[in-house]
Amino acid sequence: VSVTDLVSESYKRIGDVEDKVKAFLTFDEENARNKAKALDEKLGTDESKGLLFGMPIGIKDNIVTKDLRTTSGSKILENFDPIYDATVMNKLHTAETITIGKLNMDEFAMGSSTENSGYQKTSNPWNLDTVPGGSSGGSAASVAAGEVPFSLGSDTGGSIRQPAAFTGTVGLKPTYGRVSRFGLIAFASSLDQIGPITRNVEDNAYLLQAIAGVDANDSTSANVEVPNYAAALTGDVKGLKIAVPKEYLGEGVGEEARQAVLASLKVLEGLGASWEEVSLPHSKYGVATYYLLASSEASANLARFDGVRYGYRSPNAENLLDLYKKTRAEGFGDEVKRRIMLGTFALSSGYYDAYYKKAQQARTLIKKDFEDVFEKFDVILGPTTPTPAFKIGEKIDDPLTMYANDILTIPVNLAGVPGISVPCGFSSTGLPLGLQIIGKHFDESTIYRVAHAFE
Ligand code: GLN
């Protein structure tokens, strides 16, 4: 096949299903077809070819793309055309992928269902009445629906892994610092990571390979060698030590999710791995800690949307203060406002010690729980989510129930370690379930090795 065929196939599938799935916010068809043509000229020559030569990819809309509309799911950026590319986009250009379009998401990545998008609701391809998860719901749904074979998402508290679990795809949150955040529209800078969503583990390893590495433009990117991830896909898990936190199979976790994990452990045992129950005693503080810290960071990061520099500007303002107020009141959605208020409160003098500082201390304890377990074990295993995908509208009026959905993914971001979600069976209602595999800092290879053992 030619690259042109691949790109045509992608847009054809989009033409067939997109009116039901609604995964995309923007398409880049003319550029994609031109680039395909250019790459096709290399076919059959001995010119060097990129790692993902000619592969169609969709990009979450909080990753800036030069001259291509980038909204972060928010009305406040409805007319924003970036003048530069994120580092991951430059890396994808080197890998010679083809950008098909930009993908729907919860506004500024705040949400677990993609219902907080300022533009449209995305459906889960497995059952159009259910959510695809979030905030990278468009990234996961587009891959699950066969519109693109690869996508990029971002994960601050579960936004790659949870939608991957809900849509039966493979989604990895890399170690904090593994992938450059330069050009990722910031939500909570100490937690955000860009990562790959794909149909299988092998594709996932190749996409991480293409985007990983230290970057002079992101001082939090880590100068740690990037291994050959595909080399880890041996299927050999003999002697591997697996920890299963009792908190991940206990209260609040559905019976089907529990059974699916136990069945996966049986498979791994059959392949020569062993497992033991452990405890992550502070993980019960994860959700509270996360919502304080993430909202605090968000309140600072979102201060830049003031109607002056770029993005939406309210036409109704009478003076400068009024311009700030009206622009933000009209431009931000409810969930974003809720987080800004919570974060501003937590950071205000007089409350800082009681909330922000306390949450930082809790974060240290949560991180230490993981370090203790990883002294004796190679990976931690559990469900990605307590339940499979829920109905559109089911949780949208109850933020706390929505937040609780992330109880199994959030501690991983707080600890900074990598985690993947891989499909592990179906619920009685026919919806995919996800298995979460958590690894040591910068040890994505072992995660891939375990994940690949299921394929
Ligand atoms: N659902 C979580 C939140 O609303 C996580 C989002 C994310 O990872 N970006 O903050």
Side-chain angles (χ1 to χ4, degrees), residues 3 17 52 55 103 169 427 437:
V3 179
V17 302
L52 294 170
M55 290 295 151
L103 293 159
T169 53
S427 70
I437 307 165

Side-chain angles (χ1 to χ4, degrees), residues 419-451:
I420 202 170
S421 180
V422 288
C424 72
F426 291 89
S427 70
S428 57
T429 51
L431 291 167
L433 297 167
L435 175 73
Q436 186 174 201
I437 307 165
I438 303 164
K440 298 176 186 175
H441 280 107
F442 298 104
D443 192 14
E444 287 83 0
S445 287
T446 302
I447 292 182
Y448 281 137
R449 185 151 62 88
V450 180

Side-chain angles (χ1 to χ4, degrees), residues 166-222:
F166 281 10
T167 59
T169 53
V170 177
L172 176 96
K173 182 203 86 79
T175 308
Y176 185 79
R178 178 91 284 182
V179 176
S180 169
R181 292 183 297 108
F182 181 71
L184 172 66
I185 296 176
F187 162 13
S189 311
S190 78
L191 300 158
D192 298 340
Q193 266 294 287
I194 296 171
I197 300 181
T198 55
R199 288 180 204 156
N200 59 52
V201 175
E202 188 177 4
D203 286 355
N204 208 277
Y206 278 104
L207 184 49
L208 179 64
Q209 196 82 52
I211 62 171
V214 67
D215 176 15
N217 285 326
D218 174 5
S219 63
T220 65
S221 70

Side-chain angles (χ1 to χ4, degrees), residues 29-75:
E29 186 162 355
E30 198 184 318
N31 284 326
R33 290 191 183 277
N34 287 338
K35 188 164 173 196
K37 236 182 256 160
L39 290 186
D40 274 337
E41 317 236 304
K42 281 200 192 183
L43 279 179
T45 73
D46 51 13
E47 248 182 285
S48 76
K49 298 181 185 65
L51 183 66
L52 294 170
F53 181 83
M55 290 295 151
I57 188 166
I59 306 294
K60 187 176 182 179
D61 210 25
N62 59 352
I63 294 170
V64 303
T65 43
K66 188 166 188 276
D67 300 326
L68 180 61
R69 183 64 42 92
T70 299
T71 68
S72 208
S74 182
K75 287 282 178 195

Side-chain angles (χ1 to χ4, degrees), residues 235-295:
D236 180 11
V237 294
K238 214 170 269 140
L240 191 93
K241 293 203 195 68
I242 302 167
V244 180
K246 61 171 191 268
E247 293 81 3
Y248 276 50
L249 292 180
E251 208 190 318
V253 176
E255 190 52 26
E256 288 181 324
R258 240 170 63 85
Q259 291 306 332
V261 170
L262 294 174
S264 306
L265 288 167
K266 276 239 159 63
V267 172
L268 292 168
E269 267 180 334
L271 296 169
S274 63
W275 68 275
E276 261 176 65
E277 192 174 278
V278 298
S279 177
L280 298 170
H282 298 94
S283 61
K284 58 173 177 281
Y285 304 118
V287 173
T289 302
Y290 169 85
Y291 276 94
L292 270 165
L293 295 179
S295 302

